[in-house]
């Protein structure tokens, strides 16, 4: 079973990896993975709620 | 170093007129805080130099710095930036994906070794073997060592690649840090900010192309032309700070009148950047101008050292009169109280005089009866 890996996927924000299994010229199965993590959910824990928007708005700057 | 075309030829082919080009050189000279005599030098350098190769790496980032660069328009800086350098690799805007993208990057590293600019956006995770940022099967640490280690100079765009930025805020779950601590010994410049200002990015590159060196740097490797002064020094609300006129509550009269945001948590007195002069979105505005406090995004560990963002900073270092805002505020209150008291005295006195006059007039009138 041939496998296609496209990493990095460009023209998007963030880091994405696509893996696909090809069977008879068709995609039989596929996986996508976000390959970057900062843990902003953990960073905002216990902070002043008024400033959390400034953190979470930086999850994506686009 | 560089491609076949000179920068000027590239710009000309792009439809940039000579007039626009000279305007751009003037803007760059002003941003770099150089005298007007350097304008022809910049113009000459950009006309003769070949476009240098550049790669733009994304690690733990939000693409905000890329957005900052692409949204700039004065005068068509996005076009100019993309044309003064030959940007061979940039994940957000390049056509190729996967293997072809990786090939473009490795071709530059191999063929232009020691001659290309490496612009880095995003922090680099070091915890757990660096698995929190992996591109094409390689960790950010491995990529940074290979790409930044072989570059002419590394330009850290935005606070994340300078020292970790938001990713390194407590408890720093991924061990995020800046490029220079992962690849020690490299030649680098920090352009922090969240995001970095496009004009400062362009001006840094133009400076390198014109003079062959990085601009003068401070102890955090930030260029002095952009980070030499505090936000406070050029803030248009500064007269209100000096006069003790502070916003005390969101939407109060002072807020509507554009008074100083220091009491609302503004870190302008501790933050070094040229926001008040260069501004954002084609020079339209910047946070303080739009009524929000500065949170020192271009300072190291701004999220933890300068936070919580809406808490008032304890005191203002380096103020010429060495007084805290509270003291100034208290002085103003005392002054006002004194004025009110004086006013009351005058009123009472006038009242007395008035009564006296009335009684005199009454006596006169009585006499005439």
């Amino acid at each position: 079973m041939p496998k296609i890996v496209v990493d990095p996927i460009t023209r998007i924000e963030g880091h994405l990896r696509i893996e696909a299994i090809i069977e008879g010229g068709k995609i039989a199965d596929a996986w996508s993975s976000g390959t970057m993590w900062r843990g902003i959910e953990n960073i905002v824990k216990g902070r002043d709620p008024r400033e959390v928007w400034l953190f979470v708005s930086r999850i994506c700057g686009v | 170093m560089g491609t076949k075309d000179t920068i000027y030829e590239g710009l000309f082919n792009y439809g940039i007129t000579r007039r626009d080009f000279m305007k751009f050189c003037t803007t760059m000279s002003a941003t770099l805080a150089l005298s007007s005599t350097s304008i022809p030098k910049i113009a000459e350098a950009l006309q003769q130099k070949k476009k240098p190769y550049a790669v733009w790496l994304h690690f733990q980032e939000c693409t905000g710095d890329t957005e900052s660069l692409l949204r700039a328009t004065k005068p068509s800086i996005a076009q100019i930036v993309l044309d003064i350098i030959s940007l061979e690799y940039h994940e957000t805007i390049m056509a190729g994906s996967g293997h072809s993208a990786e090939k473009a990057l490795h071709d530059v590293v191999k063929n232009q070794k020691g001659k290309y600019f490496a612009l880095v956006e995003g922090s680099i995770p070091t915890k757990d073997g660096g698995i929190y940022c992996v591109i094409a099967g390689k960790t950010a640490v491995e990529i940074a060592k290979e790409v930044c280690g072989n570059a002419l100079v590394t330009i850290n765009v935005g606070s994340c690649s300078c020292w970790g930025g938001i990713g390194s805020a407590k408890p720093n779950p991924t061990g995020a840090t800046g490029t220079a601590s992962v690849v020690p010994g490299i030649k680098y410049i920090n352009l922090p900010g969240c995001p970095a200002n496009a004009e400062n990015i362009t001006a840094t590159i133009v400076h390198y192309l014109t003079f062959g060196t990085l601009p003068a740097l401070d102890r955090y490797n930030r260029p002095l032309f952009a980070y030499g002064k505090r936000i406070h020094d050029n803030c248009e609300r500064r007269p209100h700070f000096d006069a003790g006129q502070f916003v005390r509550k969101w939407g109060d009269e002072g807020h509507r009148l554009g008074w100083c945001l220091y009491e609302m948590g503004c870190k302008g007195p501790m933050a070094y950047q040229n926001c008040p002069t260069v501004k954002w979105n084609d020079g339209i505005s910047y946070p303080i101008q739009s009524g929000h406090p500065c949170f020192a995004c271009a300072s190291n560990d701004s999220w933890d050292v300068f936070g919580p963002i809406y808490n008032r900073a304890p005191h203002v270092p380096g103020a010429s009169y060495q007084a805290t805002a509270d003291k100034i505020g208290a002085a103003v209150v005392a002054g006002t109280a004194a004025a009110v008291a004086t006013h009351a005295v005058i009123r009472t006195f006038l009242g007395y005089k008035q009564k006296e006059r009335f009684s005199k007039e009454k006596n006169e009138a009585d006499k005439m009866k």
Side-chain angles (χ1 to χ4, degrees), chain A residues 37-57:
Chain A
W37 186 74
R38 283 170 294 176
I40 289 179
E41 302 88 337
N42 298 352
I43 290 170
V44 296
K45 261 188 203 164
R47 286 186 191 266
D48 185 336
R50 293 173 301 167
E51 65 176 10
V52 168
W53 73 270
L54 273 162
F55 286 80
V56 296
S57 64

Side-chain angles (χ1 to χ4, degrees), chain B residues 224-305:
Chain B
L224 286 168
F225 75 80
Y227 302 88
K229 283 201 167 147
R230 296 176 305 167
I231 299 280
H232 196 55
D233 296 334
N234 284 315
C235 180
E236 76 278 4
R237 295 186 186 222
R238 176 66 184 268
H240 295 294
F241 176 89
D242 294 340
Q245 294 173 316
F246 298 104
V247 178
R248 305 276 174 183
K249 204 177 152 196
W250 298 119
D252 70 3
E253 204 196 345
H255 198 207
R256 288 199 293 274
L257 290 170
W259 285 5
C260 176
L261 293 156
Y262 176 69
E263 289 285 330
M264 302 308 285
C266 187
K267 308 298 184 296
M270 298 88 170
Y272 289 80
Q273 205 178 176
N274 55 357
C275 296
T277 47
V278 170
K279 299 190 182 178
W280 296 81
N281 295 332
D282 204 4
I284 288 172
S285 187
Y286 74 110
I288 293 174
Q289 190 179 336
S290 63
H292 189 273
C294 162
F295 68 98
C297 70
S299 303
N300 196 351
D301 290 335
S302 60
W303 300 99
D304 295 309
V305 172

Side-chain angles (χ1 to χ4, degrees), chain A residues 6-8 10-15 35-39 42-43 47 50-51 53-55 58-62, chain B residues 58-63 91-92 94-98 132 134 136 166 170 174 194 303-304 308-311:
Chain A
V6 186
D7 181 6
T10 54
R11 280 155 287 140
I12 56 153
E13 188 283 317
H15 301 286
T35 57
M36 185 276 278
W37 186 74
R38 283 170 294 176
N42 298 352
I43 290 170
R47 286 186 191 266
R50 293 173 301 167
E51 65 176 10
W53 73 270
L54 273 162
F55 286 80
R58 279 158 176 83
I59 289 171
C60 177
V62 175
Chain B
H58 288 87
F59 294 134
Q60 286 179 300
E61 45 76 52
C62 70
T63 315
E91 284 176 38
T92 320
M94 69 192 300
S97 267
Y132 299 111
V134 180
I166 189 168
K170 279 173 192 162
T174 59
C194 200
W303 300 99
D304 295 309
I309 285 144
Y310 298 107
N311 283 15

Side-chain angles (χ1 to χ4, degrees), chain B residues 135-158:
Chain B
I135 302 153
K138 280 186 190 168
T139 65
V141 175
E142 289 170 325
I143 297 167
K145 279 184 179 162
E146 187 194 345
V147 178
C148 300
N150 288 309
L152 170 70
V153 60
T154 297
I155 302 175
N156 291 321
V157 183

Side-chain angles (χ1 to χ4, degrees), chain B residues 202-222:
Chain B
T202 318
T204 302
I205 297 171
V206 166
H207 189 282
Y208 204 95
L209 294 174
T210 307
F211 303 104
T213 56
L214 287 175
L217 305 175
D218 69 6
R219 64 195 166 120
Y220 299 111
N221 265 41
R222 304 180 296 190

